[in-house]
Amino acid sequence: IQFTPAKSLCRSTNPSSDYLTLTNPDPVLIFVIFFSFVGFSYCRQKSRFPRGFVGNSSMEELKISSRPSICFRPINPSDLERLEQIHRDIFPIRYESEFFQNVVNGGDILSWAAVDRSRPDGLSDELIGFVTAKIGPAKETEISDLIRYNSCKGEETLVYILTLGVVESYRKRGIAKLLIKEVIKYASSIPVCRGVYLHVIAHNSPAIRLYKRMSFRCVRRLHGFYIINGQHFDSFLFVYFINGSRSPCSPFDLVVFVLNYMRSGIKSVASRLTMKHEEKGLKWIKCKDITRCLLPTQTKRNLASERVSSGYDYV
Ligand code: ACO
C-alpha cells in the first residue's frame, strides 16, 4: 500500500503496477486500516504459540469433495516433502530429517498414511494424515510395571505412537480414529505385544478426547515433560492394553499401582525441584530461543530433560 497526497482510495492508474494506492486518505479509513493491521498482527502473534498441538495449522485450506474417499497406505519416499511440511505445520517441535528418512524408508519406524482418493489427479495420493509408531521391548519402557507378563510367550513388546496428525481441513471426520485403529490392529496381530501407548501434551484437548474415546487409559501425568521455547509443559501418558494385558485391578495389582503412582509423584516433585535448581544455575540460557531439533533417538521426554531413562527411542 502506498500513501500519496491525492483524493481517494483507488487502484493505481499505472497498468504495470498492481499496488493499491491510497490517495488523500480519509481519517476514518486510516483508522480502520490501522486497527485491521493491528488485529491481523495480533492474530499472527497468537498463532506462534505451540498451538499446533491443540490443532491449529497454518496449512493451506484444502478443497474437499462432498464425498471424500479416505484410504490408508504405508508412507513411502515420495511422501517425504509433504510429511515434513505437515509436521512443521502442526507440531511445535522440529523433527530432524533423519526421523523423516527413517519413516519414509520404512526403517525401524512403522507408519500409516491417510489419503483422499476423491481428490483430483496428482493429489489423490497426497498425505492428509499420518501416524508413526515404534515397537520395542515392554520391559524397557516406563510402563513396564503396568504390564502383565507371560514368560512362556517370549519377550513382550509395546507399540509407542510417535506422531499423529491430520491436516486441518480433514479433521473431525474420524480419520485420526481410523489411523489409531490401524495401529491397534497391527499391535493386536503380534501375540507378544501388550499394548499401545503414547504421550500427549496436557493442554491438547482434541487429542486427549480422541484417546479417551478410543478406550486408552490415562495412567500418568508427567510434570514438565516437554520444554518448548524454554517453557515447561506437562504430558499425559495414555495406554491401550491388548492381548490379555490390562490395567491393574486385582487387590495386589492395585497396591502395586498405588505404590508406583506415589513413586512417580515423588519423582516428579523431585524433578521439579531439580528443574528449579537447574534453572537458577542456567538463567542465561533463557535469553536464547531453545526450540530444539529432535533426532530420532531423542524423545519428547528428552526435550524436557534426560532425567528418566527408559531405553526407548521416542521422538
Ligand atoms: N462428523 C462429525 N464429527 C466427527 C465425525 C464425523 N463424521 N467423525 C469424528 N468426529 C468428531 C469426533 O467425535 C471428535 O469430536 P470431539 O473432538 O468433540 O470429541 C472429533 O471429530 C475428532 O475426532 P477424529 O475425527 O477422529 O480426529 P481428527 O481426524 O480430527 O484428528 C487430531 C484429531 C489428530 C488430534 C487432530 O486434531 C490433529 O492433527 N491435531 C494436531 C496434531 C496433534 O495434536 N496430534 C496429536 C499429538 S499426540 C501424538 O502425536 C502422540
Side-chain angles (χ1 to χ4, degrees):
I1 296 173
Q2 294 175 337
F3 290 90
T4 63
K7 278 249 159 125
S8 59
L9 183 66
C10 59
R11 283 251 162 221
S12 163
T13 47
N14 176 358
S16 66
S17 163
D18 253 349
Y19 291 115
L20 195 63
T21 309
L22 189 64
T23 53
N24 200 12
D26 183 329
V28 176
L29 196 60
I30 289 184
F31 184 82
V32 169
I33 290 175
F34 175 76
F35 280 99
S36 309
F37 181 74
V38 169
F40 175 69
S41 310
Y42 175 69
C43 291
R44 283 196 53 151
Q45 278 294 332
K46 281 202 85 176
S47 69
R48 276 195 201 129
F49 186 73
R51 284 178 58 190
F53 256 51
V54 294
N56 188 31
S57 157
S58 62
M59 222 178 258
E60 79 279 15
E61 277 293 308
L62 301 181
K63 258 205 155 168
I64 306 174
S65 88
S66 54
R67 284 178 157 233
S69 155
I70 309 298
C71 295
F72 300 96
R73 61 164 176 76
I75 294 178
N76 60 51
S78 66
D79 297 316
L80 181 63
E81 211 175 295
R82 177 76 176 159
L83 186 72
E84 286 183 326
Q85 182 206 344
I86 304 179
H87 275 74
R88 249 193 328 267
D89 285 348
I90 68 174
F91 294 115
I93 46 182
R94 299 284 150 252
Y95 292 85
E96 281 280 326
S97 62
E98 206 183 320
F99 165 68
F100 297 109
Q101 289 293 343
N102 216 334
V103 175
V104 300
N105 295 317
D108 56 347
I109 295 181
L110 312 158
S111 67
W112 288 261
V115 296
D116 177 3
R117 296 282 182 228
S118 72
R119 292 176 76 194
D121 280 351
L123 296 174
S124 62
D125 199 42
E126 188 179 73
L127 295 197
I128 49 112
F130 61 84
V131 59
T132 62
K134 211 171 164 151
I135 188 158
K139 282 194 172 136
E140 291 176 15
T141 69
E142 65 200 285
I143 55 162
S144 56
D145 52 318
L146 298 178
I147 304 300
R148 175 172 279 184
Y149 296 95
N150 181 351
S151 48
C152 17
K153 275 196 170 179
E155 192 181 35
E156 279 89 351
T157 57
L158 284 170
V159 169
Y160 180 72
I161 295 185
L162 299 153
T163 59
L164 164 76
V166 173
V167 302
E168 202 157 347
S169 333
Y170 277 89
R171 288 183 191 163
K172 294 200 173 269
R173 290 162 182 268
I175 295 173
K177 182 177 165 186
L178 291 172
L179 284 163
I180 299 281
K181 274 192 172 173
E182 289 293 319
V183 179
I184 293 175
K185 197 164 78 184
Y186 167 82
S188 308
S189 72
I190 303 167
V192 291
C193 186
R194 290 289 180 226
V196 177
Y197 77 110
L198 56 91
H199 291 101
V200 57
I201 202 161
H203 60 250
N204 190 346
S205 314
I208 290 167
R209 278 200 304 273
L210 169 74
Y211 300 134
K212 283 187 176 164
R213 212 172 45 243
M214 296 198 68
S215 307
F216 276 74
R217 293 190 185 200
C218 182
V219 293
R220 254 158 229 167
R221 182 180 185 121
L222 303 160
H223 295 279
F225 181 86
Y226 296 97
I227 296 183
I228 299 166
N229 295 334
Q231 262 188 288
H232 295 265
F233 296 92
D234 293 356
S235 90
F236 290 120
L237 205 161
F238 277 91
V239 188
Y240 184 94
F241 294 95
I242 52 168
N243 291 333
S245 193
R246 55 172 179 73
S247 61
C249 58
S250 76
F252 175 74
D253 287 338
L254 272 176
V255 172
V256 172
F257 179 77
V258 170
L259 286 177
N260 279 320
Y261 192 81
M262 284 164 66
R263 196 183 59 181
S264 71
I266 293 167
K267 263 190 189 170
S268 85
V269 170
S271 64
R272 273 181 168 189
L273 292 174
T274 320
M275 225 182 293
K276 276 195 183 141
H277 182 72
E278 280 168 3
E279 273 171 7
K280 271 187 196 160
L282 293 171
K283 270 210 169 114
W284 58 273
I285 287 184
K286 285 198 166 172
C287 52
K288 288 188 188 172
D289 180 353
I290 58 164
T291 307
R292 292 206 242 149
C293 285
L294 278 179
L295 285 166
T297 49
Q298 285 180 299
T299 69
K300 285 177 181 172
R301 167 193 299 154
N302 286 348
L303 258 190
S305 73
E306 309 272 343
R307 284 189 306 276
V308 201
S309 89
S310 70
Y312 233 126
D313 292 339
Y314 312 120
V315 179

